[in-house]
C-alpha cells in the first residue's frame, strides 16, 4: 500500500513535465493569448482531464513554465558567482555567467509574452516583480559580501545598484537577441557590458571571432578595439 502513492506521484510529475514541455513549444510558436488548453493537451498527448489534474487554468500553467525557467536562470547566476569563495574575481565571474546563462530565443519569446501579460494584470505583475527582486537580491548579496576584495564603480551606488544594472544589461541584450537571433554576439555583448559595469572597464573582452562590435554597439570609450582578457 505504501508504494501506490509513490507511483501516482511519479506519474503525475511526469505528466506535469510533459505538459510544461509541450506548452513551452506551443507558446513559443504561437504566442500566449493565441493558445488553447486543447492545443497544449494535443501537443503533450494528454486529455483535458490530465491538464486539470495539474493546472486550474492556462494562466497557472503559463506562470509555472515561467517560474521553472526563471529559477534556472537565477540558479545559473548564483552558481557562477559563488565559485570564488570570499573573494570575487569580477571578470572571471562575468565569463562564467555569460558562458552558462540561458540565451534561448524560444524562451525569450515566452518570457516577453509573460511580461506583456503581467503589464496588464497587477496580480501577475506583483509576482513577476517579486521574482526579479529575488534575482537582484541574490546578485547584490554576492557583490556586497565581496566588497572588501572587489571595488564596484561608485556611480552604481553600491551592490544594490550594481545588481539593477546587471539585470538591466541582460534585459537589453536579450531584446536585441529577439530581433537578430545572433546568440554568439549576444553572449559577447553581454560579457562586455557586465565587465564594463562592474569594473573600471580596463578588461573588456573581444566580440565574437571576427573581433567586430556586437550589433548596435560603437567602440568602447577611447575609440580602441576591446582586447581579450587573460
Amino acid at each position: 500500500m505504501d508504494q501506490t502513492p509513490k507511483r501516482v506521484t511519479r506519474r503525475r510529475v511526469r505528466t506535469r513535465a510533459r505538459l510544461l514541455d509541450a506548452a513551452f513549444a506551443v507558446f513559443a510558436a504561437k504566442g500566449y493569448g493565441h493558445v488553447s488548453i486543447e492545443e497544449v493537451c494535443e501537443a503533450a498527448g494528454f486529455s483535458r482531464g490530465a491538464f486539470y489534474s495539474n493546472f486550474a487554468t492556462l494562466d497557472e500553467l503559463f506562470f509555472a513554465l515561467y517560474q521553472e525557467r526563471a529559477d534556472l536562470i537565477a540558479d545559473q547566476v548564483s552558481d557562477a558567482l559563488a565559485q570564488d569563495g570570499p573573494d570575487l574575481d569580477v571578470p572571471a565571474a562575468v565569463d562564467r555567467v555569460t558562458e552558462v546563462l540561458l540565451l534561448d530565443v524560444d524562451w525569450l519569446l515566452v518570457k516577453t509574452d509573460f511580461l506583456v501579460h503581467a503589464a496588464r494584470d497587477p496580480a501577475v505583475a506583483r509576482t513577476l516583480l517579486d521574482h526579479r527582486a529575488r534575482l537582484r537580491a541574490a546578485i547584490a548579496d554576492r557583490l556586497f559580501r565581496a566588497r572588501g576584495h572587489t571595488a564596484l564603480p561608485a556611480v552604481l551606488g553600491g551592490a544594490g545598484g550594481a545588481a539593477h544594472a546587471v539585470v538591466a544589461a541582460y534585459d537589453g541584450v536579450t531584446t536585441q537577441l529577439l530581433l537578430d537571433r545572433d546568440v554568439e554576439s549576444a553572449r559577447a555583448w553581454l560579457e562586455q557590458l557586465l565587465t564594463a559595469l562592474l569594473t573600471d572597464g580596463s578588461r573588456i573582452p573581444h566580440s565574437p571571432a571576427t573581433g567586430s562590435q556586437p550589433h548596435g554597439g560603437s567602440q568602447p570609450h577611447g575609440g580602441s578595439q576591446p582586447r581579450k582578457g587573460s
Side-chain angles (χ1 to χ4, degrees), residues 7 29 55 71 141 151 176 192 228:
R7 285 197 297 270
F55 304 102
D71 286 346
D141 177 67
Q176 179 68 29
Q192 287 189 343
K228 185 68 177 179

Side-chain angles (χ1 to χ4, degrees), residues 49-127:
F51 179 93
Y52 285 118
S53 69
N54 287 276
F55 304 102
T57 64
L58 202 59
D59 275 1
E60 184 180 323
L61 180 149
F62 191 53
F63 182 74
L65 180 63
Y66 176 86
Q67 191 69 39
E68 180 182 77
R69 299 299 174 108
D71 286 346
L72 171 62
I73 289 176
D75 288 344
Q76 289 173 330
V77 172
S78 296
D79 289 347
L81 291 176
Q83 292 181 29
D84 289 321
D87 295 338
L88 181 63
D89 181 343
V90 170
V94 167
D95 287 346
R96 290 194 300 271
V97 168
T98 54
E99 181 65 27
V100 303
L101 194 61
L102 181 65
L103 289 175
D104 177 74
V105 173
D106 284 345
W107 156 242
L108 294 174
L109 288 168
V110 173
K111 187 184 81 163
T112 302
D113 276 344
F114 191 82
L115 180 62
V116 172
H117 179 54
R120 294 189 171 96
D121 187 324
V124 178
R126 284 193 296 273
T127 304

